Amino acid sequence: MAILQILDDSNDVLRKKCREVTEITPRILTLLDDMKETLIKAQGAGLCAVQVGVLKNICIVDNGEELLELINPVIIKREGEQEEV
């Protein structure tokens, strides 16, 4: 497993549309493992593949109990507000 470089918000890759994952391949599984390692090292709450330069619709989310691997996630409901401090 490898620690991946997290792109900062000035990188134009972050504004590109990610592609849908159509097949779970060994490469996708390795990416998920690397993203988990990267998220843990960064002590973050979530990490999307595009944040490490991969234009795939994949993310890892730490819900406080476990790391969730999301492939082609779709937001079906939202509530509340978030303010940037």
Side-chain angles (χ1 to χ4, degrees):
M1 288 191 271
I3 302 298
L4 305 170
Q5 179 181 357
I6 299 173
L7 305 177
D8 67 27
D9 63 351
S10 67
N11 195 307
D12 289 337
V13 171
L14 297 172
R15 287 155 193 79
K16 294 188 178 194
K17 184 173 172 90
C18 292
R19 294 182 302 273
E20 183 176 304
V21 175
T22 58
E23 181 181 0
I24 307 297
T25 63
R27 192 171 184 178
I28 295 293
L29 296 175
T30 299
L31 175 61
L32 285 166
D33 288 341
D34 292 347
M35 288 175 62
K36 280 190 237 178
E37 286 278 320
T38 303
L39 179 63
I40 291 166
K41 180 156 175 54
Q43 298 179 339
L47 182 66
C48 292
V50 69
Q51 291 176 282
V52 294
V54 179
L55 292 173
K56 293 284 186 181
N57 199 4
I58 298 173
C59 63
I60 304 286
V61 177
D62 183 349
N63 70 3
E65 295 177 17
E66 62 184 327
L67 292 178
L68 303 174
E69 299 174 345
L70 305 174
I71 297 175
N72 300 325
V74 176
I75 298 171
I76 57 173
K77 180 181 176 184
R78 70 176 196 194
E79 63 183 64
E81 295 180 22
Q82 179 177 340
E83 291 183 28
E84 187 173 326
V85 186

